Amino acid sequence: MESFPIKIRLSRRMIALCVMFTLFALLIGYGIFKMSSQTIYMGDGTPMPLYFKAIFIALEVIIEIGALFMIVPMWKRIFARNGAMTLTEAGIENTFMLFTVFAFWTTLPIRFIPWTALQVNKLDANSYTVDIEQLPKGSVGKLAKMRLKITGFEFRIGQIEAENFEHYRQIALSQSEDTTV
């Protein structure tokens, strides 16, 4: 019999993505510094107008903030050794999902998803549909709840195979049935 809780480590893909976005954020930060501290010359040799420079700096700041919304929570997880998720008898705890809009990536925290709310997605074996009606109040934010309703939950953020994830889910469900009978 498996003993819960089981902490699932972040996948190498998630760690590589975090490192890549960190390097990207550092490069953008360097660009913001350089653009704001130096005179930039146009193609005709005249200095770039201040309003034009301000527009470029504002765009870079927006992109930098977008990158920080992803990398700060990811680095917190890495340094705190929280991993991708914790599997318990009741469900999945302390996990997240990535939310992407155009070039902006962010992490959406998920405090708890009960096993009974997950169903195998018939279209994609690497994700589960989520019955959001079974989610406890306050376990996910509004944006995460909407995202779970539309796309479901993907466990590939962690280093776990589909068979193992389903195995743990079935064990937890059978244990909960044993305690309710």
Side-chain angles (χ1 to χ4, degrees):
M1 194 59 91
E2 305 293 330
S3 65
F4 290 102
I6 301 167
K7 191 173 281 195
I8 306 297
R9 294 179 17 193
L10 279 168
S11 70
R12 289 182 189 94
R13 181 177 153 248
M14 287 291 111
I15 294 170
L17 195 65
C18 183
V19 169
M20 181 183 73
F21 269 84
T22 301
L23 294 174
F24 179 70
L26 290 172
L27 184 65
I28 293 293
Y30 179 72
I32 292 169
F33 171 74
K34 285 301 226 183
M35 187 166 274
S36 62
S37 65
Q38 293 183 350
T39 303
I40 311 282
Y41 293 97
M42 303 293 280
D44 62 357
T46 61
M48 179 184 283
L50 186 60
Y51 67 88
F52 206 54
K53 198 173 179 181
I55 290 171
F56 277 113
I57 291 172
L59 290 173
E60 287 180 337
V61 167
I62 290 169
I63 293 169
E64 181 76 11
I65 290 170
L68 290 174
F69 269 109
M70 182 201 161
I71 61 175
V72 169
M74 291 294 290
W75 282 115
K76 279 184 187 177
R77 282 189 168 280
I78 291 169
F79 288 127
R81 299 189 187 275
N82 287 339
M85 65 191 86
T86 302
L87 307 179
T88 65
E89 297 90 354
I92 304 166
E93 295 180 4
N94 190 22
T95 189
F96 68 96
M97 61 190 320
L98 290 178
F99 181 69
T100 310
V101 176
F102 302 117
F104 301 102
W105 291 46
T106 189
T107 58
L108 301 174
I110 300 172
R111 288 177 279 293
F112 180 69
I113 301 175
W115 290 116
T116 56
L118 294 174
Q119 297 298 322
V120 177
N121 189 343
K122 293 174 178 58
L123 300 175
D124 182 9
N126 291 320
S127 71
Y128 284 77
T129 59
V130 178
D131 181 4
I132 60 166
E133 300 301 321
Q134 293 187 29
L135 294 176
K137 189 171 182 84
S139 64
V140 295
K142 289 179 181 164
L143 189 57
K145 187 180 278 189
M146 180 189 71
R147 176 77 185 212
L148 284 172
K149 183 177 184 176
I150 294 170
T151 62
F153 177 72
E154 291 189 20
F155 56 86
R156 290 181 290 182
I157 57 172
Q159 289 184 359
I160 187 167
E161 299 294 322
E163 304 83 34
N164 293 341
F165 188 83
E166 182 59 24
H167 173 73
Y168 292 133
R169 180 176 159 292
Q170 291 300 328
I171 289 172
L173 288 172
S174 67
Q175 285 179 357
S176 67
E177 287 174 2
D178 291 343
T179 59
T180 57
V181 174

